[in-house]
């Protein structure tokens, strides 16, 4: 009996998928740098042996992802995609599911727990003064220290992200803000903005700031952990 | 003299930009859920009063971002975008600039420093056994403990990300792997894979594992900080 070759899986990529992948490969092989010109649609169509409609659709995708820009009178050029930009366009809390939102909130806790070394490495006198002002304003306007205020939370923590000097992190924080605002409007936070903290050991923004002034990354992490205690509690208890 | 109104800025959004934004707004207003049908291109074109070409391009963008899926014989449906997917398509280290790569590498350090509480909350007996196997294999095959091995690094740290149970984090790690592989091939790491660790206090994977078994998130974070010492050194010294 004739030995049969195994039947392999059918290639399910669409023609546009293939052209998209092929173009990316072509950019890499040619080591394109931002600003380098890209062949015209009609030329690509001829080289690739596919219709202009297919090429156009693939180019549109790459443009949406940020690899291509069209310049007036200059045609298309290659560019380095902005890694946060696409993220930004889809991070709309009202369109994301509960699991995704939870996962993003956890990510925020992880980032704030993990950034201490960068804060101590890059903090300046001016940064500490700015934090001092944020905390003082907060103290002057808060009668009840256990009431949660989103604005003050954002002012203080946003400044910390800024001190980290990591731009990806900062922009990630910026675009997560609507997610947090959305979450804080839910359940536990709905109760007139009041959140009953779980223990007397709660660390305030003032204590975090003092720690950043005279402590170490190690002591700061422990203080931040206590500061975030209500959020950790909420996540680990809702399992 | 006739009081003139100030001249306002010209709206620089293209027609496609506007249709894209309008469609997103329309999805939200109608509180669309994954699987809900979306009007046909021709109907949208009529309702919006723009050409089918413009509608098609806006729809293509939303499809690229993951908000729309075309189903055979069912037309277009709405879906929840996969927040990591777009990221994945652009995170090609050979196409990213040096600053972006540095920023992503720092982000990895921040994530690993920050995930301790999740590891202690979710670790299981099976997880610890799996880590035990990874570490044992590593010990059996490493003659010189100071030689850096990317494979072993990935096996161990990848498992930690998995224990965190945060899917966004896990997938983020998966897609950052090529970035790390790329970075490890550069400069310091090029020297035959050898990396001279900066001090005798270096914490091994074995010590991290022991810590995860009997320690606390606090002791684990301190151990992880020492484990990552060479990377922190490299980043803070290259300023």
């Amino acid at each position: 009996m004739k030995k049969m070759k195994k039947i392999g899986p059918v290639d399910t990529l669409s023609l546009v998928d293939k052209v998209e992948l092929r173009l990316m490969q072509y950019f890499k092989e040619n080591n394109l740098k931002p600003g380098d010109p890209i062949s015209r649609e009609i030329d690509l169509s001829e080289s690739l042996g596919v219709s202009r409609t297919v090429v156009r659709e693939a180019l549109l995708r790459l443009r949406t992802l940020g690899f291509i820009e069209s310049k007036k009178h200059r045609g298309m050029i290659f560019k380095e995609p902005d890694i946060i930009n696409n993220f930004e366009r889809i991070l709309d809390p009202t369109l994301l599911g509960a699991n995704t939102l939870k996962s993003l909130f956890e990510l925020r806790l992880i980032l704030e727990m993990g950034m201490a070394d960068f804060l101590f490495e890059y903090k300046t006198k001016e940064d500490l003064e700015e934090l001092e002002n944020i905390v003082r304003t907060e103290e002057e306007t808060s009668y009840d220290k256990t009431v949660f205020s989103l604005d003050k939370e954002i002012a203080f923590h946003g400044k910390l992200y800024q001190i980290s000097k990591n731009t990806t992190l900062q922009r990630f924080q910026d675009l997560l803000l609507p997610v947090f605002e959305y979450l804080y409007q839910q359940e536990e936070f709905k109760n007139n903005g009041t959140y009953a903290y779980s223990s007397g050991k709660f660390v305030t923004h003032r204590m975090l700031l003092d720690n950043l002034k005279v402590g170490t990354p190690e002591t700061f992490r422990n203080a931040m952990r206590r500061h975030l205690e209500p959020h950790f509690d909420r996540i680990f208890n809702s399992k």
Side-chain angles (χ1 to χ4, degrees), chain A residues 78-107:
Chain A
F78 179 73
K79 63 171 191 160
E80 185 189 345
D82 181 328
I83 57 166
I84 293 288
N85 181 275
N86 286 291
F87 223 56
E88 205 159 358
R89 291 162 76 180
I90 58 175
L91 266 191
D92 187 312
T94 59
L95 292 173
L96 295 175
N99 282 336
T100 304
L101 290 171
K102 178 163 180 282
S103 149
L104 289 172
F105 193 82
E106 289 181 358
L107 206 53

Side-chain angles (χ1 to χ4, degrees), chain A residues 211-228:
Chain A
N211 212 309
L212 187 58
K213 283 180 185 168
V214 299
T216 65
E218 195 174 320
T219 60
F220 186 83
R221 275 192 288 273
N222 295 337
M224 181 59 92
R225 178 60 182 79
R226 292 242 180 81
H227 178 67
L228 297 173

